[in-house]
Amino acid sequence: LKLTIGPRFARAMTSHSDDVCLPEPCEQGAGATSVTATLDEALELPQETDEYRLSHEFYDAYKACKALNEKEGSEVEQADIDALVSKLKAIAHHVVRLRLFSPNEELEDISTADIKFLLVPHLLAEVTAATRDMAARVQALRHAILYWRAFAHDCERLKVAHADDLKAVDRNPEDKLDAHTKRDEKIARYRRSKELDEKVTYLFAKKREVLGDEFHWGAGGAFDEDMERELILSLLGRACAAAADNITSAEQELPLLEMMVARGGPGAGSSCEQRTPSEKPFILRIQDKAELMRIYKEMVFQCPYELPTMTLAEAANIEMEQVRERTARETDRERQANTLENERWWGGDRYGSKEEDEDVIKTYKDRDWDNWKDEHPYGSGNKRGNLG
């Protein structure tokens, strides 16, 4: 089985551990499923598996992946994860054996019935990264990063993903983005993902309405082949956007896991718990009895209450200073109020303007009160009043 190891795979190999073993590089154009198929030889499907049975196996695996993503962390069993990983690797192996994809094909040349198998590396990466075995999680994350980048390689070759997501997948972990650029990138990716999620939800609902099962891969009835192809392409674009975020998260988690392994693995105590016990406290030994009695007297004959820290004059000065500051603030506030009042009434130049304004305000207030009394006559609010 011949494979091509592109720059993404090479960096995935060198940026982490030496534990990821890949086959020898060869001619250009190998698919991501080839990489996933050669990383493990534990195959569950029989060698005579055909494309029809492979579709049924993919149906079961996709449903299991969806169920796994919807479960809480404590509800996921490691045995289920291991079984699903083995199944997806077996599917990837048979996709390669049946030669469903060719490196020379364009997206339009791939059959709608086969294009869904491009999701296998992404599903494998998602399930592998969900492992709960902390002792094996470092290796699992390294493999997951490899699967995600292999999947992005196929998406880039077939032009089914957004260029910004592919650029984020291919970014070197050492390349740091400034906060503004990172924020804009996350917002743009979130908006694309939301739009793709809405499209996928609509198409799945349409398929469930027509075929009775949203995970039944294939066209039928009102759900034609164009809608089936649009659904799978939307899933591929959404998966590539998720891969960009997942790779960033995994690369941030790996140094912490490696630090945990260096300290002895999960369950090992921290360095502060492994410190040697501290030395005994310092003890002063007094040989002279007279000196000891003097210390005892100093300890006994002490003031029974807390001594003042300042004199009465100092306390009075502090209080007087506070009074002066408060008086100055009140005087300044009153001066500002008088200034505003003078500016409003022209400093008294227009005699009677203030009184006229007060009369106008009083007139409107009285008029509003008279209107309210006309609308609410006396006794209208009584429970049994004005019934006759």
Side-chain angles (χ1 to χ4, degrees):
L1 185 63
K2 295 184 178 181
L3 300 176
T4 296
I5 308 303
R8 286 189 178 85
F9 310 147
R11 195 176 68 247
M13 251 190 330
T14 56
S15 61
H16 301 298
S17 174
D18 299 334
D19 300 331
V20 179
C21 299
L22 296 177
E24 294 295 330
C26 64
E27 57 195 1
Q28 179 67 25
T33 50
S34 302
V35 176
T36 59
T38 55
L39 285 175
D40 199 289
E41 295 299 333
L43 305 178
E44 294 182 346
L45 307 183
Q47 292 297 325
E48 62 272 11
T49 300
D50 57 3
E51 189 173 348
Y52 176 75
R53 179 172 177 179
L54 194 62
S55 297
H56 284 275
E57 296 294 339
F58 181 81
Y59 170 86
D60 295 337
Y62 190 86
K63 287 186 66 175
C65 290
K66 294 289 288 186
L68 184 68
N69 290 334
E70 293 173 358
K71 287 184 179 180
E72 297 289 340
S74 58
E75 299 176 358
V76 180
E77 297 293 339
Q78 183 61 38
D80 298 337
I81 295 176
D82 294 339
L84 190 53
V85 167
S86 298
K87 189 169 195 173
L88 287 169
K89 287 180 179 180
I91 293 174
H93 169 80
H94 286 281
V95 167
V96 176
R97 188 178 64 83
L98 295 173
R99 301 184 182 277
L100 299 183
F101 305 112
S102 171
N104 300 322
E105 285 182 328
E106 300 291 338
L107 181 62
E108 294 77 10
D109 301 330
I110 301 177
S111 171
T112 304
D114 297 338
I115 196 172
K116 61 180 177 290
F117 293 110
L118 290 172
L119 288 168
V120 172
H122 171 71
L123 299 177
L124 182 57
E126 292 281 342
V127 178
T128 304
T131 182
R132 298 178 57 82
D133 185 3
M134 298 305 294
R137 185 164 178 80
V138 176
Q139 183 70 6
L141 284 182
R142 290 168 181 157
H143 281 167
I145 293 174
L146 182 66
Y147 300 152
W148 274 316
R149 286 183 170 146
F151 168 72
H153 174 73
D154 278 349
C155 291
E156 183 179 16
R157 179 173 61 86
L158 298 174
K159 299 179 177 60
V160 294
H162 198 276
D164 291 343
D165 295 333
L166 296 173
K167 183 179 179 181
V169 170
D170 197 27
R171 184 177 297 126
N172 194 313
E174 298 178 357
D175 296 340
K176 301 297 183 181
L177 296 178
D178 59 275
H180 182 72
T181 305
K182 185 183 298 184
R183 177 178 177 275
D184 292 343
E185 184 180 277
K186 284 183 175 292
I187 291 175
R189 185 178 301 129
Y190 171 77
R191 290 174 178 172
R192 289 195 302 272
S193 300
K194 184 178 180 181
E195 182 180 351
L196 290 172
D197 286 338
E198 292 174 354
K199 182 186 294 186
V200 168
T201 302
Y202 168 77
L203 291 174
F204 269 137
K206 185 70 174 178
K207 176 179 283 192
R208 183 171 59 251
E209 178 183 349
V210 174
L211 302 178
D213 187 358
E214 61 183 3
F215 300 127
H216 176 78
W217 299 100
F223 196 86
D224 56 13
E225 184 177 352
D226 291 338
M227 299 178 70
E228 172 76 5
R229 196 175 186 86
E230 184 66 23
L231 170 61
I232 299 175
L233 292 179
S234 300
L235 288 172
L236 290 171
R238 181 64 181 90
C240 193
D245 291 331
N246 293 335
I247 287 177
T248 302
S249 177
E251 288 175 341
Q252 292 175 353
E253 184 180 356
L254 274 174
L256 302 179
L257 293 174
E258 292 171 353
M259 187 184 304
M260 178 193 68
V261 172
R263 290 180 176 178
S270 60
S271 58
C272 59
E273 297 176 355
Q274 300 174 357
R275 292 175 181 171
T276 57
S278 58
E279 298 179 358
K280 293 182 178 181
F282 177 75
I283 299 176
L284 175 63
R285 299 184 182 277
I286 302 177
Q287 303 294 336
D288 190 359
K289 186 176 181 180
E291 182 68 18
L292 183 61
M293 295 301 297
R294 185 184 66 79
I295 294 176
Y296 283 158
K297 288 181 181 179
E298 291 180 354
M299 294 173 61
V300 172
F301 298 106
Q302 293 182 355
C303 185
Y305 53 85
E306 187 177 357
L307 295 176
T309 58
M310 65 178 67
T311 63
L312 292 177
E314 292 174 344
N317 291 333
I318 293 175
E319 292 183 0
M320 292 175 63
E321 183 65 26
Q322 293 175 351
V323 170
R324 281 194 292 268
E325 292 178 358
R326 185 166 57 251
T327 303
R329 287 196 300 269
E330 293 176 356
T331 303
D332 186 60
R333 191 181 304 113
E334 184 177 355
R335 187 185 305 110
Q336 292 179 0
N338 293 335
T339 302
L340 293 176
E341 188 74 10
N342 290 334
E343 290 178 355
R344 182 179 181 185
W345 305 113
W346 297 283
D349 291 343
R350 300 186 181 182
Y351 179 76
S353 58
K354 182 177 181 181
E355 289 75 8
E356 290 177 1
D357 185 72
E358 292 176 352
D359 292 341
V360 170
I361 294 175
K362 185 176 182 304
T363 300
Y364 279 107
K365 185 176 180 180
D366 293 341
R367 187 179 300 170
D368 293 339
W369 175 241
D370 293 338
N371 293 335
W372 189 90
K373 288 193 295 184
D374 293 340
E375 295 173 0
H376 304 81
Y378 181 78
S380 62
N382 295 339
K383 182 175 182 181
R384 297 184 179 277
N386 303 325
L387 297 180

